[in-house]
């Protein structure tokens, strides 16, 4: 009866019920008693047959009771046992990379795709159409089989997550979707889908994608969270792991060069499917072709290297490097990269102060004199004191006038005892770095650098602390080791690959001795260290640099880098010193030395790429500022307004903050400090070119799919294995839940019908007996 009155479903069972009144049971009983009393009173003297009187009194009483029920607003409280089913989520990637039509060559692969496409009635073979065809595949009958045991929910995702519904046809929505999203946020989408149905049983999530993740939450972290909730992921990879494609992955070139520099340019090219074939690399500068080079594709990753000397003497040039598209290439969008380069027509003024002409001095002097960008002056505190009379390249003494001292961009301090400088000269050395934005480079030596400078301003300038005493011997097997900063520093990167770079530094042995008790200061960035198994203290900062005031300082904790010429080669030795001097002085030449330094990992990005942003924040006393976060603004160049981005502090790096901004629309952009810090901070520039990252990564990322499935407790499902997918979920046990409901009775039409019926019977009998 209740099922009929209240529209309960077949599978729902009432397990408990009770009646309640809006105005309480007390008033209800009182009114019922009044109705009974009134009926007895009215019909006790009615002159009619016994049966008629009983019928009228019963009809009157029942009509009155119906009226009381309506006025008292009764409700039925009841509980039902309701069966429910677990849910399976289907997610289809609609980012741009899913529009790729893969050029398949494997026969078995072609047969699988052909079977799926034919059964679905679809003829094209883009990844998105293949995903739609797989869902509609009549042999697999995937949706029908799963819907018999589970509730199914469908979603598409790219930058955003979109629920889909097809009415009577659960897959009607597939006819309309297109792969046009600018990025694929798989991790974010998976998190969002599961959170929408928090608290409900989810049997699993099926993801159809090429798994080319470029933005949003890390999909591996999202998968691990699903494991904790007992929700497996079933990853269906759509695409080829090695599609026939040639990609210009990056161009390694400096952002700033000097006029007449011969610039080494390395272009990284990734290819698959064309091994042994010949292609052509073209480099254009400001739309004019300047380099054309044929090369053989090796498959995998390879570097094309060449030198280029800009014709322009100053200003900015725009470089585009491209590779000629191959026949049947998957996409041509990733065949070029762009890069901007600033050209300076200035000389770097260097003062090199040295004691005895040791080996390090002899080799470094040759490097300095060969570099056309440098204007070098030497000061020898020991040896022939007539050198300044013979050559204008030598000074007799360190300058004592402000104008003379601050004219230098860099002072290289070799193995010179601090007693060679008076107080005035020390103060000018500090003023050069702290106020004028110059740089100081100390190359350690056993005579006095750094041990004799412990009570001088130079000790404050250096990025390391030290103690006095005799130098310490170390094993001949100890060699320099690159730190994380050293792996990316423009000073210490000497080769196109990390392994080659490591090998160059590993060969610099023996170092013999090192200064005692060296420790990097909190604001220092260590580029090279000695391994922890060395015969000295751990984490010895072999090469470190740090900001000081408006300038920079660097410390080289050995006098044996000249061995690089013997063990690695004169080219690498010269490159290190050339790059280091440029690194230390360019910021002054560009007017960028500030107390707060903003920088990006690169100067040029493609749409959708991560722009890594760093801020090195020092207080007015040039101490690292220790905050949990630091806010900067990002906006188009020339615009005053920009969006705010919170950079978070880097662990164990006081004063250093980092964050990520996703490259969007094409254009030139600037990163600025907030208004209060604007004068103390530089402005970091970067550009975005409109080459969507989705169009660059053409391969299905099988490794991401595998790890996502494993971390969640799920499985990678091949297209050919889709018919077996329902068996992965099995047949779930029937689940029930208890639901409490309240149903109002007073407004049920049946009560009004009864009231009219009973009142009508009483009226009819009364009229028939001619009773008033």
């Amino acid at each position: 009866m209740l099922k009929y009155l209240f529209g309960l479903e077949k599978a729902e069972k009432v397990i408990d019920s009770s009646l309640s009144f809006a105005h309480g049971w007390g008033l209800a009983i009182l009114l019922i008693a009044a109705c009974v009393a009134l009926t007895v009173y009215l019909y006790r003297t009615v002159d009619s047959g016994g049966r008629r009187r009983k019928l009228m009194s019963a009809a009157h009483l029942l009509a009155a009771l119906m009226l009381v029920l309506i006025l008292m607003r009764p409700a039925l409280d009841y509980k039902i046992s309701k069966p429910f089913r677990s849910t399976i989520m289907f997610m289809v990637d609609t980012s741009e990379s899913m529009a790729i039509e893969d050029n398949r060559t494997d026969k078995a692969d072609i047969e699988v795709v052909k079977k799926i496409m034919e059964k679905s009635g679809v003829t094209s073979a883009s990844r998105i159409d293949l995903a739609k065809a797989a869902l509609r595949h009549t042999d697999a009958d995937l949706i029908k089989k799963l819907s018999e045991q589970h509730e199914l929910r469908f979603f598409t995702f790219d930058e955003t997550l979109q629920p889909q519904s097809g009415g009577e046809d659960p897959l009607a929505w597939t006819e309309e979707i297109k792969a046009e999203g600018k990025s694929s946020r798989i991790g974010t989408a998976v998190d969002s889908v599961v959170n929408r149905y928090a608290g409900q049983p989810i049997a699993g999530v099926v993801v159809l994608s090429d798994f080319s993740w470029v933005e949003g939450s890390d999909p591996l972290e999202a998968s691990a969270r699903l494991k904790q909730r007992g929700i497996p992921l079933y990853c269906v990879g759509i695409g080829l792991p090695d599609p026939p494609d040639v990609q210009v992955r990056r161009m390694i070139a400096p952002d700033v060069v000097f006029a007449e520099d011969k610039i080494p340019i390395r272009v990284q090219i990734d290819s698959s499917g064309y091994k042994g074939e010949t292609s052509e690399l073209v480099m254009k500068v400001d739309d004019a072709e300047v380099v054309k080079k044929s090369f053989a594709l090796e498959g995998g990753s390879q570097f094309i290297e060449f030198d280029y000397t800009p014709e322009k003497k100053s200003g900015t040039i725009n470089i585009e490097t491209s590779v000629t598209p191959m026949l049947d290439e998957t996409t041509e969008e990733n065949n070029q990269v762009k890069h901007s380069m600033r050209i300076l027509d200035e000389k770097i003024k260097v003062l090199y102060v040295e004691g005895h002409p040791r080996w390090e001095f002899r080799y470094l002097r040759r490097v300095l004199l060969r570099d056309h960008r440098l204007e070098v002056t030497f000061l020898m505190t020991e040896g022939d004191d007539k050198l300044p009379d013979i050559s204008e390249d030598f000074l007799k003494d360190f300058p004592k006038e402000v104008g003379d001292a601050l004219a230098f961009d860099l002072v290289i301090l070799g193995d010179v005892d601090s007693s060679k400088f008076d107080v005035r000269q020390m103060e000018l050395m500090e003023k050069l770095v702290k106020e004028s934005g110059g740089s100081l480079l100390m190359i350690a030596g056993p005579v006095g650098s750094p041990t004799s400078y412990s009570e001088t301003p130079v000790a404050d300038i250096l990025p390391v602390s030290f103690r006095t005493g005799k130098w310490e011997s170390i094993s001949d097997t100890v060699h320099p080791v690159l730190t994380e900063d050293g792996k990316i520093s423009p000073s210490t990167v000497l080769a196109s690959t990390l392994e080659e770079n490591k090998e160059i530094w590993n060969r610099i042995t023996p170092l013999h001795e090192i200064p005692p008790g060296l420790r990097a200061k909190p604001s220092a960035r260590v580029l090279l260290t000695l391994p922890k198994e060395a015969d000295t203290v751990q984490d010895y900062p072999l090469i470190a640099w740090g900001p000081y005031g408006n300038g920079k300082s660097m410390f080289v904790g050995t006098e044996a880098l000249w061995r690089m010429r013997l063990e690695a080669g004169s080219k690498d030795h010269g490159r290190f010193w050339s790059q280091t001097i440029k690194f230390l002085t360019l910021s002054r030449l560009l007017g960028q030395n500030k107390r707060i330094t903003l920088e990006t990992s690169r100067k040029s990005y493609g749409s959708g790429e991560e722009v890594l942003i760093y801020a090195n924040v020092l207080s007015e006393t040039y101490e690292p500022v220790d905050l949990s976060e630091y806010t900067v603004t990002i906006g188009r160049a020339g615009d005053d307004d920009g969006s705010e981005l919170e950079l978070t502090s880097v662990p164990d790096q006081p004063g250093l903050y980092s964050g990520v901004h996703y490259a969007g629309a094409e254009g030139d952009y600037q990163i600025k400090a907030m208004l209060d810090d604007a004068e103390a901070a530089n402005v970091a520039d970067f550009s975005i070119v409109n080459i969507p990252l989705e169009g660059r990564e053409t391969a299905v990322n099988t490794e991401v799919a595998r790890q996502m499935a494993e971390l969640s407790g799920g499985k990678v499902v091949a297209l050919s294995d889709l018919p077996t997918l329902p068996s992965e979920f099995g047949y779930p046990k029937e689940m029930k839940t208890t639901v409490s409901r309240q149903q109002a009775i007073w407004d049920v039409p049946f009560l009004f019908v009864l009231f009219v019926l009973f009142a009508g019977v009483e009226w009819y009998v009364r009229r028939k007996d001619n009773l008033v």
Side-chain angles (χ1 to χ4, degrees):
M1 182 66 172
L2 288 175
K3 287 185 179 181
Y4 175 76
L5 287 176
F6 304 138
L8 300 182
E9 297 178 3
K10 260 187 178 182
E12 295 177 341
K13 295 182 181 180
V14 178
I15 57 176
D16 190 20
S17 62
S18 61
L19 188 66
S20 62
F21 292 90
H23 304 290
W25 273 97
L27 181 59
I29 292 172
L30 183 62
L31 290 176
I32 291 171
C35 289
V36 173
L38 180 61
T39 302
V40 171
Y41 174 76
L42 291 177
Y43 289 95
R44 72 184 190 284
T45 58
V46 172
D47 186 14
S48 182
R51 287 186 178 180
R52 289 179 181 275
R53 187 172 62 181
K54 290 179 180 178
L55 179 60
M56 282 190 293
S57 59
H60 181 276
L61 178 60
L62 290 173
L65 291 176
M66 291 301 107
L67 186 60
V68 167
L69 280 176
I70 294 171
L71 294 176
M72 290 298 294
R73 298 172 64 187
L76 183 66
D77 298 305
Y78 62 98
K79 294 180 180 179
I80 62 170
S81 173
K82 182 179 180 180
F84 67 95
R85 303 188 299 176
S86 58
T87 302
I88 296 176
M89 315 291 188
F90 279 85
M91 300 173 59
V92 178
D93 187 350
T94 53
S95 59
E96 282 185 341
S97 60
M98 291 292 285
I100 293 173
E101 294 190 14
D102 292 298
N103 182 19
R104 302 174 186 273
T105 56
D106 182 77
K107 290 184 178 180
D109 191 26
I110 292 173
E111 285 302 314
V112 169
V113 172
K114 185 178 178 181
K115 185 177 181 182
I116 291 174
M117 301 306 287
E118 285 180 350
K119 291 292 182 180
S120 68
V122 182
T123 56
S124 66
S126 69
R127 293 177 182 178
I128 188 65
D129 286 327
L130 189 55
K132 293 190 287 187
L135 292 177
R136 289 187 170 278
H137 194 274
T138 54
D139 282 357
D141 212 4
L142 190 63
I143 303 306
K144 181 179 179 182
K145 290 178 181 177
L146 289 174
S147 63
E148 292 173 354
Q149 300 293 330
H150 304 271
E151 296 293 332
L152 304 185
R153 299 286 184 270
F154 300 95
F155 300 85
T156 57
F157 70 93
D158 37 60
E159 303 102 308
T160 59
L161 180 74
Q162 295 292 335
Q164 302 292 340
S165 176
E168 292 183 4
D169 179 2
L171 296 178
W173 55 272
T174 61
E175 297 176 3
E176 303 297 328
I177 62 170
K178 297 179 181 179
E180 297 177 342
K182 299 301 180 185
S183 66
S184 178
R185 301 185 179 183
I186 301 177
T188 302
V190 169
D191 277 336
S192 298
V193 159
V194 174
N195 290 337
R196 280 177 180 241
Y197 292 87
Q200 298 186 28
I202 299 176
V205 179
V206 182
V207 183
L208 291 88
S209 171
D210 55 18
F211 296 93
S212 294
W213 164 57
V214 295
E215 284 187 14
S217 301
D218 189 331
L220 304 185
E221 293 178 3
S223 303
R225 287 191 287 271
L226 292 194
K227 176 72 170 180
Q228 297 171 359
R229 299 173 66 170
I231 303 173
L233 273 173
Y234 296 91
C235 300
V236 184
I238 311 290
L240 295 177
D242 294 301
D245 188 40
V246 178
Q247 175 183 2
V248 182
R249 183 164 291 276
R250 60 175 174 154
M251 176 169 54
I252 304 172
D255 299 314
V256 181
V257 299
F258 288 84
E260 300 180 5
D261 264 2
K262 181 184 285 187
I263 307 165
I265 294 179
R266 304 182 188 93
V267 181
Q268 182 181 357
I269 297 172
D270 293 351
S271 64
S272 62
Y274 299 105
K275 188 173 182 179
E277 295 190 33
T278 300
S279 186
E280 191 170 58
L281 181 143
V282 175
M283 189 176 88
K284 294 181 179 179
V285 175
D286 293 336
D287 296 325
E289 186 179 296
V290 295
V291 174
K292 182 180 284 187
K293 188 171 184 177
S294 296
F295 65 97
L297 292 167
E298 298 175 0
S301 188
Q302 66 187 99
F303 284 88
I304 307 299
E305 301 184 9
F306 53 90
D307 293 328
Y308 167 68
T309 302
E311 296 181 4
K312 201 170 185 178
K313 297 302 180 184
S314 63
T316 300
I317 59 175
N318 297 304
I319 303 174
E320 178 182 299
T321 305
S322 61
V323 170
T324 305
M326 304 296 289
L327 184 65
D328 296 328
E329 192 173 343
T330 299
T331 179
E332 298 177 12
E333 289 186 13
N334 56 10
N335 283 43
Q336 67 280 324
V337 294
K338 296 181 180 180
H339 182 76
S340 61
M341 186 181 293
R342 183 173 174 180
I343 302 172
L344 296 179
D345 189 14
E346 295 184 51
K347 294 282 188 179
I348 300 173
K349 297 179 177 62
V350 179
L351 173 59
Y352 187 179
V353 185
E354 185 60 89
H356 291 284
R358 54 182 176 159
W359 285 108
E360 194 67 65
F361 169 77
R362 296 177 188 179
Y363 286 120
L364 178 53
R365 181 173 180 271
R366 294 179 192 174
V367 172
L368 298 177
L369 292 175
R370 283 200 307 264
D371 197 328
H372 70 275
R373 297 169 297 187
L374 307 181
E375 183 180 302
V376 188
T377 305
F378 299 93
L379 170 58
M380 303 300 297
T381 61
E382 306 290 343
D384 190 351
D385 57 3
K386 295 181 181 179
L387 282 174
D389 300 325
I390 301 172
S391 171
E392 61 181 13
D393 293 339
F394 287 85
L395 293 179
K396 287 186 177 181
D397 200 5
F398 192 89
K400 293 188 178 182
E401 297 298 324
V402 173
D404 294 335
L406 302 191
F408 294 104
D409 299 305
L410 169 67
V411 172
I412 301 176
L413 201 55
D415 193 12
V416 181
D417 193 277
S418 63
S419 62
K420 299 295 182 179
F421 306 101
D422 61 25
V423 174
R424 173 65 174 168
Q425 291 168 327
M426 288 283 192
E427 289 175 349
L428 287 175
M429 211 176 293
E430 183 179 33
K431 190 179 185 70
L432 169 68
V433 181
K434 187 173 183 177
E435 298 180 18
S436 184
S439 297
L440 174 71
L441 167 62
M442 177 179 280
I443 305 172
V447 171
S449 296
T451 53
S452 68
Y453 292 85
S454 60
E455 302 297 329
T456 71
V458 170
D460 298 328
I461 300 173
L462 292 177
V464 295
S465 59
F466 54 89
R467 67 171 187 261
T468 59
K470 189 178 179 182
W471 276 36
E472 300 171 347
S473 297
I474 60 172
S475 169
D476 287 351
T477 61
V478 173
H479 58 76
V481 174
L482 287 163
T483 64
E484 291 304 312
D485 282 329
K487 293 174 183 177
I488 59 173
S489 170
S491 174
T492 48
V493 173
L494 306 178
S496 56
T497 68
L498 178 59
E499 291 305 316
E500 290 174 338
N501 201 34
K502 285 181 179 178
E503 182 59 29
I504 291 171
W505 290 106
N506 288 352
R507 292 202 298 266
I508 302 175
T509 57
L511 298 178
H512 294 311
E513 294 180 325
I514 55 175
L518 257 72
R519 284 285 188 272
K521 291 180 180 177
S523 60
R525 307 279 279 273
V526 179
L527 307 181
L528 283 170
T529 186
L530 293 183
K532 294 187 176 182
E533 63 269 19
D535 302 329
T536 181
V537 292
Q538 295 181 352
D539 296 324
Y540 174 81
L542 188 67
I543 297 180
W545 77 273
Y548 184 75
N550 291 327
K552 298 175 183 175
S553 68
M554 179 176 280
F555 178 78
V556 177
T558 177
E559 61 171 353
L561 284 190
W562 60 271
R563 292 186 177 278
M564 187 183 295
R565 293 177 60 90
L566 303 177
E567 306 298 335
S570 59
K571 180 181 177 182
D572 294 319
H573 180 260
R575 178 175 290 176
F576 165 71
W577 284 114
S578 177
Q579 291 178 175
T580 296
I581 292 171
K582 184 177 173 182
F583 166 71
L584 290 172
T585 58
L586 261 183
S587 52
R588 188 194 196 198
L589 296 177
L590 296 172
Q592 293 178 340
N593 274 346
K594 296 285 186 176
R595 177 165 57 82
I596 298 170
T597 307
L598 307 177
E599 58 182 319
T600 58
S601 56
R602 299 204 313 269
K603 294 298 181 184
S604 181
Y605 298 86
S607 301
E609 284 189 305
E610 289 184 347
V611 181
L612 300 179
I613 300 170
Y614 300 94
N616 193 62
V617 185
L618 302 179
S619 67
E620 293 180 357
T621 58
Y622 295 95
E623 294 295 324
V625 174
D626 188 13
L627 300 170
S628 60
E629 57 191 31
Y630 185 76
T631 304
V632 297
T633 64
I634 302 175
R636 286 186 177 272
D639 291 349
D640 293 331
D641 297 329
S643 59
E644 294 185 2
L645 175 67
E646 290 183 351
L647 309 181
T648 56
S649 60
V650 177
D652 302 322
Q653 296 285 336
L656 184 63
Y657 303 82
S658 68
V660 174
H661 169 75
Y662 288 102
E666 190 170 25
D668 296 323
Y669 292 82
Q670 291 183 327
I671 302 168
K672 301 178 182 179
M674 300 296 285
L675 214 53
D676 292 345
D677 290 338
E679 291 187 4
N682 69 305
V683 175
D685 300 296
F686 68 95
S687 61
I688 298 174
V689 292
N690 193 18
I691 306 175
L693 195 60
E694 280 286 318
R696 300 184 203 178
E697 302 296 338
T698 58
V700 59
N701 198 328
T702 55
E703 183 60 19
V704 169
R706 183 190 66 79
Q707 291 191 48
M708 286 181 68
E710 288 184 3
L711 287 170
S712 67
K715 185 178 180 181
V716 173
V717 181
L719 281 172
S720 58
D721 294 333
L722 272 178
T724 67
L725 184 58
S727 64
E728 296 293 334
F729 296 97
Y731 295 93
K733 295 179 181 178
E734 184 179 4
M735 295 178 284
K736 294 184 178 181
T737 185
T738 300
V739 180
S740 296
R741 292 180 180 174
Q742 186 181 71
Q743 179 68 48
I745 297 176
W746 64 273
D747 62 350
V748 175
F750 184 63
L751 288 184
F752 290 92
V753 172
L754 289 178
F755 170 74
V756 172
L757 175 63
F758 294 142
V761 169
E762 193 272 347
W763 175 84
Y764 175 76
V765 175
R766 180 182 290 276
R767 292 294 296 170
K768 192 171 183 181
D769 287 350
N770 294 317
L771 298 174
V772 178

